[in-house]
Amino acid sequence: MIILRIYQILWWLLLPVIVVLRLWRDWRSPLGLQNFQDRFGFQQLPKVDLIIHAVSLGEVRAVTPLVKRLLAEKPSLRILFTATTLTGSDQIQRTFKQALAEAQLFHTYLPFDFGPSITSFLKRTSPKAILIMETEIWPNLFYQAEKRNIEVIMISACLSDRSFYRYQKIRQTIRNLLKPVIVLTQTDEDSLRFELLGAGNAKRMGNIKYDLEVDPSVFEQRDQLKALQLPDSLYWMGASTHEEEEEIIVEAFIEARKKSPHLKLIIAPRHPERFPEVKTLLEEYADAHNFTLSIRSHGALDALNPRADIWLIDTMGELLLFYAFADMALVGGSFVPIGGHNILEPAYFAKPIIVGPYMDENRETLEQFLENRAIMQVNSETLESTIIALSQDKAMREAYGNAAHQTMMQNQGAIEIVLAKIDSLF
């Protein structure tokens, strides 16, 4: 496996740069540097039966119902729940605070895919199986897991056109990595693509994100916000936004307000390290257009100013709350070539959903929603007119929102397939 060897050598060569970049990124993050050592496998870890890995916040939320079911139905199973991002880790710690305190569940970052770190990590945890949420192919992790006879299961896996063609260029290496892996995919097309890449065991399970569960506290906090809301005000939320998307959204908001003066805007950036720059950007817009800005992190929830034109959500773990509160939602990562983010969270709350042209990472889900008239896909030029139409037509908002919720409900059940697979292993 020549490419795998090159990959391993590159890790050694780039290690100093990676360490510096990781330190810089963690230093800028609200969560700080306290878990930096975990990323290189230096943490103290117990022996476990199962590792469940979810990269970021969205994947953590999606797999949370599965983890809760396992804790309830298999209390003797020792589970290590890992994440890659700071926001994902924070979500695990808040959601499973009691289980972590009682050692029913363990948590850490999954180390970087650096050979010695992965070897040490697997040696100390000694799991029987590793469950990986969505399509995360970690060469050293897969290689070391096979050497140690650890079962690797990818769940809710999918392959975009871009990823499929990219992997085809290194087909033999991917075939060697995927051959021992159990791949449970979102669609039949995904199963076929994994088989063409060499996966020895690919089967459709559906999208586990459809099985979303929401904590009752979200609805309690939503009602708290609703009590603050001014009569006739209407909130449009721009969620999980990336660089350049805030400008697109605010520009459309400025024009839409001319015809819908009751419209207000909520912006929730995707990455916490961008909170300061987005705050500066929104302050500039507020000054230039005589808007008022209220910032979530400046106080308790009821400190948000209902008279403000724009709310900046510069906190972590509150996306579901503001989806529940908002009247309509734009899902980011879709107006710049990122591939789009999870549209099922606003669908759960029956919100009309808007996305941009770049949704290749969520192709199958998008197509199903489009077929059911449960989503609106627009570009930056037509965003303004779409917002005006929605803001002025309550029946239109309800029709799209209800269609989104029904589409989501009709596709639930993937979690049972994963539980059956885990039952067969334990």
Side-chain angles (χ1 to χ4, degrees), residues 102-157:
E102 297 173 357
Q104 292 179 305
L105 181 75
F106 305 95
H107 166 63
T108 186
Y109 289 106
L110 185 70
F112 286 136
D113 198 41
F114 174 52
S117 298
I118 291 295
T119 300
S120 174
F121 177 75
L122 293 180
K123 183 178 180 180
R124 280 178 287 149
T125 55
S126 191
K128 183 176 181 180
I130 302 173
L131 204 69
I132 298 177
M133 179 66 183
E134 295 193 350
T135 311
E136 295 293 327
I137 300 176
W138 303 68
N140 279 321
L141 178 64
F142 284 21
Y143 175 70
Q144 290 295 333
E146 184 183 12
K147 284 181 62 176
R148 296 171 182 275
N149 295 315
I150 300 170
E151 194 81 74
V152 176
I153 309 168
M154 294 171 62
I155 65 170
S156 206

Side-chain angles (χ1 to χ4, degrees), residues 54-95:
V55 173
S56 60
L57 180 60
E59 288 75 27
V60 168
R61 283 184 180 143
V63 82
T64 287
L66 172 65
V67 177
K68 289 182 176 179
R69 286 279 298 273
L70 288 171
L71 290 174
E73 298 174 15
K74 296 181 179 294
S76 63
L77 198 66
R78 293 173 65 82
I79 301 172
L80 175 63
F81 195 176
T82 64
T84 298
T85 66
L86 295 167
T87 51
S89 175
D90 180 66
Q91 179 73 15
I92 292 171
Q93 292 178 67
R94 289 188 296 104
T95 303

Side-chain angles (χ1 to χ4, degrees), residues 141-201:
L141 178 64
F142 284 21
Y143 175 70
Q144 290 295 333
E146 184 183 12
K147 284 181 62 176
R148 296 171 182 275
N149 295 315
I150 300 170
E151 194 81 74
V152 176
I153 309 168
M154 294 171 62
I155 65 170
S156 206
C158 62
L159 276 176
S160 65
D161 293 339
R162 181 174 57 184
S163 297
F164 178 62
Y165 293 127
R166 185 169 65 238
Y167 287 139
Q168 280 187 316
K169 296 178 181 179
I170 51 171
R171 181 178 297 178
Q172 188 57 49
T173 299
I174 294 297
R175 181 184 299 274
N176 291 336
L177 292 171
L178 290 180
K179 188 174 182 180
V181 176
I182 298 170
V183 185
L184 302 178
T185 68
Q186 293 186 15
T187 68
D188 290 328
E189 183 181 358
D190 290 320
S191 295
L192 176 60
R193 287 183 168 188
F194 274 103
E195 288 172 356
L196 291 173
L197 289 176
N201 189 350

